[in-house]
Amino acid sequence: MNNQRRLFSLKMRASQQNRHISGAERIVPEECVAATAGELVSRAMSHSKGQPDFVNVKIESADQPMELPALTATTREAATPEAGWGIVKQLLAESGFRRVDEIIGLFSQTYPMRGAMLLDADTLERLEPDRERGVRATYMDAADSSKRTAPTAKNHFSEALVLATKVVNTPGIVGEICMSDDPDYVTGYVATKTLGYVRITCLKRRGDPAGGRIFLYRGSKERVSETVEFLQCRRVLVTGVPSSPPTKTETAAVDPLSELDGELDEIRRAGLWRSVRVSPPQLQSFADNDYLGLSEDPRLKAAAVAAIAEFGTGSGASRLVTGTKPPHLQLERHLAAFKGTEDAVVWATGYMANVGAISALAGKGDAIFSDELNHASIVDGCRLSRAEVFIYRHNDLDDLSAKIAQAGPRRRRLAVTDAVFSMDGDWVDLPRFLELCRANGVISMIDEAHATGVMGDTGRGLCEHFGCGHPDILMGTLSKALGCEGGYVCASRMVCDYLRNRSRSFIFSTAPCPATAAAADCALTILEEKPGLVLVVRNKAAAFAALLAERGMPVQSGSAIIPVMVGDEKRASAVSQALERRGFLVPAIRYPTVARGQARLRVAISARMEKKDLEALADAIAEAMRETAQD
Ligand SMILES: *Cc1c(COP(=O)(O)O)cnc(C)c1O
């Protein structure tokens, strides 16, 4: 190397209305400065993100740069972001990082930052002095950059390799994870001294403008400033940078479970992580579907205890073998009488009732018409049936009619809808639904999980609410207003016989615990004796809706379910957490329970709640919404 030759650093950045568009930097010998400056400017002027209204080229001396050999580059193929993040995780774990899930969980926090997060790899403390900007790595280039051709075509690969080489050789830094913010560039990388530079061909979906970077740090906190100084000021020339990425992909066997892990990371990064927990007893729950407060009723408890004393804790076998005990038959007779049908069949859960009934009623070649917001158990029943499924727009019976016409004649056709929709609290226009089915010879089915005990003057459901006839299949659950668990179908004797002979989730699953059946039977008796309970819950729900409207949050109501729309998943979680800090348990309902971007709070009202509880919650929701408005 000719020591006489002086080196200069050139840094270009371009913006439009103060918004960053592009940036690049070089370190070149004196005689190339003018030409390089020209290249950088023309690159700035022709960027795909738009024409800049401001371009700055800064030229400084860059003598005595540190020379570093380029990291060895390899490529790992990933077909999906889930697979890609699985590889990231595997690589980090193999490199000895311990809290890999948490590290990746923090990645989305770097999206808004221009620079990188500087993260203590062991304590996960964030060490970057400026959290908004992050730490930048700058003053670096490939040693022979001035000899390269096509300088205006941004070469993601070699620029990233240069950067990663500087970063990984920085004192205190032990690794880097990077995903570009270029919406068209989905390749990202992980770099460490031992792994080298590992390109991963897919870390995000095409068109996604998110991008970020984490520098992993290991060392004492006193030396962080040295690290930052090196990253931001030390001149570095990287030797041996190949001009194109390695095409040969490493074929080391991928742990088949790492893809699951990658998918979990996607869930974390999207703010959709869910976990099971016992709801803290100090919180007041607005999440239960225990609309009438029966799940804690001493009479139900006593009925269950008595049944356990008489029949034990398990049924011993499926209903058709030896599992049927007197409480099962008693409950089925009672349900049929309550709903006014000839017969009823009970399953262990509502989910099993839907899956088992729908898949028995329709098969290959048949047609099922299903509202787009139907409960997941209906959706799964449709899938399991292998019938052709026609999804119609939510509560749009014109669309249902069109779909029936489109399906044409079939051996069997079944239309199914939630009576009251579980996440929105609205309901189907049942008389019209029934008329449409009848006129077209379509079997009608409704799911009264949220209607039984809530709708109609005496809680008999949507038929009572409208004063109309019954659908062919009246499905419901014992797990919501009735305070127990289980699912049922009320229908004609013939339909019920058919289900007992054809529904696989009835036939091949152990009968529900007799105690549950006895408790549910008791709940029906209470409802028959005190139908006024139904009005209590509906009036409280209406009062709560009015309280929200007074606070500037109009909501629809009429059932016991009050959705408070938020939209963004992360904000919905933040509102829910803010409510939790105030002592209220109100879950954020997010994708996949509802569509993406439709996240909400779901408030379930119970007859048990007092007016002051409802006022306190309405105030808390208003505050939490204000608090999270910026995020
Ligand atoms: C809760 C629910 C079910 C499932 O009932 P489980 O008894 O909880 O299994 C079915 N359909 C709807 C509409 C529901 O809300």
Side-chain angles (χ1 to χ4, degrees), residues 349-351 354 375 377 418 422 447 449-450 475 477 479-480 486:
T349 69
Y351 180 92
N354 267 334
H375 190 262
S377 54
D418 278 21
S422 52
D447 174 343
H450 301 279
M475 179 273 169
T477 66
S479 52
K480 311 269 156 83

Side-chain angles (χ1 to χ4, degrees), residues 561-623:
I561 301 162
I562 312 254
V564 184
M565 292 306 298
V566 180
D568 179 71
E569 281 77 19
K570 287 183 179 158
R571 184 177 176 207
S573 300
V575 173
S576 173
Q577 279 159 21
L579 289 171
E580 202 169 309
R581 287 194 293 276
R582 291 169 170 79
F584 302 103
L585 180 63
V586 181
I589 308 290
R590 296 164 292 174
Y591 177 85
T593 309
V594 294
R596 282 186 204 273
Q598 298 266 309
R600 66 196 64 182
L601 303 173
R602 176 183 182 274
V603 180
I605 302 295
S606 162
R608 241 179 315 120
M609 290 164 185
E610 315 256 353
K611 183 146 193 279
K612 67 171 177 20
D613 302 328
L614 300 177
E615 280 168 357
L617 177 63
D619 284 337
I621 291 178
E623 273 171 42

Side-chain angles (χ1 to χ4, degrees), residues 170 177 208 265 300-301 374 378 390 450 491 533 580 593:
T170 300
I177 311 167
D208 182 352
D265 290 332
L300 270 71
K301 291 183 189 174
N374 274 345
I378 295 177
F390 296 81
H450 301 279
L533 264 179
E580 202 169 309
T593 309

Side-chain angles (χ1 to χ4, degrees), residues 87 135 143 195 236 294 350 372 411 424 437 442 482 520 545 588 591:
I87 294 171
V135 183
L195 292 171
V236 165
L294 289 175
E372 65 182 338
R411 180 188 68 141
D424 296 76
C437 290
V442 172
L482 297 177
Y591 177 85

Side-chain angles (χ1 to χ4, degrees), residues 411-429:
R411 180 188 68 141
R412 258 185 239 162
R413 303 188 296 176
L414 168 75
V416 55
T417 178
D418 278 21
V420 170
F421 285 83
S422 52
M423 294 301 137
D424 296 76
D426 57 345
W427 53 86
V428 64
D429 177 352

